Amino acid sequence: MRRLRASIPKLALVATLLPAGSFVAPSDADLVRGDQRHLAFLRIQQVHSVSQGARVVVAVPDTGVDPHPDLRENLLGGTDVIPGGSGDGRQDRDSHGTSMAGLIAAHGRPNNRGALGIAPKAEILPILDTPPDGQGDPDALAAGIEFAVARGADVISISAVAGASVRLQQALKVAQDANIVVVAAAGSRPTDASVRYPATEKGVIAVGGIDRAGRHAAVSVTGPEVDVVAPAVDIYSTSYDGKYSKGTGTSSATAIVAGAAALIRSKYPYLPAQEVAHRLTATAIDKGPPGRDDEYGYGVIDLVAALTADVPPLGFESASAPAGGGPTATARAQPGHDDGAAVRGLATLGVIVAAGVGWALLVRRRRRGDDPPPRISR
């Protein structure tokens, strides 16, 4: 996990590449897919028959993103908000940013070779906001978020913890006002003892981790702010210079959840950001004590259920489509990228106007933190 430098608590990376500085050789493109055990756990083959994240842009403010062969087709031109990069975010001397981007959107190679991301048709907007030592500045993260908003990102994936600087708090508010899904790492032990900012910010999806057996990962912090959990131990992904990395920490879990948000935004482009988050929590698999708890939040993400379950909306202010509804004509009529919040807002309005169908006007009170959400169990 990366950490940021400031007079207030630093922004820091929340995953460790294990073993430190050790990478798999490029020739192991033949083997890495088999090492990506989290894909089978998440039933990715079934998931990708429903959605692959097309037309969704995920911003990755991190150490930059190297144009890895398994990822480069999905890599947009981004920016560097600190000195020392290539100027467009497409350079990484640390590996962390490339690893996170690969978990989200790596497309792999033919014949099941190379690394595969959760949303392999999503596009990555790379933002270099942290130097190779993993110690950055919260205001640099804020600048990266501001850039993502300006470029119309649909999802922002923050695999870092930071001090709550005024500019960072304002940037997160602007992102949420722009209808962007913001996902952030809860924090990783032993460096972090509790859920850290920006995962503690209202409206941000706070992500904890589980181990290879599906239990709470020892590396993952706990707390009332945790929303969902995802695989976080021995997670293989892309690295710089065509190599591969293995990481452990809530950074990896965060990137996986960001990929999940991209899948949902692709299938349901009219859903407001809060409904995307609701779909993730409402379909999560309950673990630990019944209902929300401090280790698992609302549970382990279930990508199949998040894409296919009938999920009642949070309230009258937003509409949640039936699982088989597919994208609206309004959203699909736009050329190229749907320009983020504007198109989704218009499409949502169209759904509500057409509300002779009852599902669009279902009213449901906002769930309290101690209310168990509807669940898909297995």
Side-chain angles (χ1 to χ4, degrees):
M1 169 168 73
R2 59 197 175 93
R3 305 189 178 277
L4 300 184
R5 178 177 63 250
S7 57
I8 53 180
K10 299 174 180 179
L11 167 65
L13 303 176
V14 289
T16 303
L17 297 178
L18 300 177
S22 173
F23 303 98
V24 184
S27 60
D28 282 343
D30 292 321
L31 305 176
V32 68
R33 188 74 60 89
D35 289 327
Q36 291 189 291
R37 296 181 182 88
H38 66 281
L39 298 179
F41 178 85
L42 295 168
R43 297 182 289 169
I44 206 67
Q45 196 167 17
Q46 185 176 353
V47 167
H48 286 170
S49 70
V50 180
S51 175
Q52 295 188 37
R55 295 170 301 281
V56 173
V57 173
V58 183
V60 181
D62 211 292
T63 61
V65 179
D66 189 78
H68 191 284
D70 298 350
L71 180 62
R72 62 170 60 121
E73 293 176 17
N74 293 349
L75 192 57
L76 302 172
T79 191
D80 299 348
V81 298
I82 60 170
S86 59
D88 62 3
R90 291 184 285 196
Q91 177 177 310
D92 182 10
R93 293 175 291 151
D94 178 272
S95 179
H96 192 273
T98 306
S99 178
M100 298 306 105
L103 289 173
I104 296 166
H107 48 67
R109 310 183 199 185
N111 301 316
N112 292 322
R113 298 176 65 243
L116 184 66
I118 299 299
K121 290 188 177 178
E123 295 178 303
I124 295 293
L125 182 66
I127 300 167
L128 196 162
D129 72 345
T130 306
D133 63 5
Q135 301 292 325
D137 187 319
D139 284 352
L141 173 58
I145 293 170
E146 292 160 2
F147 177 81
V149 173
R151 288 289 298 271
D154 302 290
V155 180
I156 299 176
S157 181
I158 305 174
S159 290
V161 297
S165 73
V166 172
R167 184 178 179 184
L168 179 54
Q169 293 177 73
Q170 292 173 339
L172 288 166
K173 183 179 187 306
V174 168
Q176 293 183 60
D177 288 346
N179 196 29
I180 297 173
V181 178
V182 182
V183 185
S188 296
R189 294 188 173 108
T191 306
D192 305 311
S194 60
V195 180
R196 297 280 306 281
Y197 199 82
T200 56
E201 179 69 41
K202 182 179 179 181
V204 172
I205 302 173
V207 182
I210 54 173
D211 62 19
R212 289 172 60 175
R215 298 184 293 262
H216 172 72
V219 72
S220 179
V221 301
T222 63
E225 303 88 352
V226 174
D227 291 308
V228 291
V229 294
V233 175
D234 295 342
I235 307 298
Y236 282 81
S237 186
T238 47
S239 182
Y240 54 65
D241 294 338
K243 301 174 185 176
Y244 298 96
S245 63
K246 181 173 74 169
T248 288
T250 57
S251 275
S252 298
T254 299
I256 289 170
V257 172
L263 295 175
I264 296 170
R265 298 222 94 160
S266 179
K267 182 173 182 187
Y268 304 110
Y270 44 74
L271 280 187
Q274 64 176 4
E275 290 288 354
V276 174
H278 173 53
R279 185 165 274 273
L280 282 168
T281 59
T283 58
I285 301 168
D286 199 4
K287 299 277 283 187
R292 210 218 73 84
D293 65 79
D294 289 355
E295 286 191 339
Y296 298 97
Y298 288 103
V300 181
I301 60 166
D302 185 333
L303 302 185
V304 174
L307 291 170
T308 61
D310 289 326
V311 179
L314 281 169
F316 183 84
E317 75 280 0
S318 55
S320 181
T328 64
T330 305
R332 283 287 183 254
Q334 306 300 315
H337 179 53
D338 68 7
D339 199 23
V343 170
R344 282 191 298 274
L346 289 171
T348 301
L349 179 60
V351 171
I352 294 174
V353 168
V357 289
W359 60 262
L361 295 181
L362 284 175
V363 178
R364 181 173 179 265
R365 66 175 175 84
R366 184 175 299 278
R367 187 178 62 244
R368 296 192 307 269
D370 57 353
D371 285 344
R375 303 211 177 261
I376 304 297
S377 298
R378 73 171 191 267

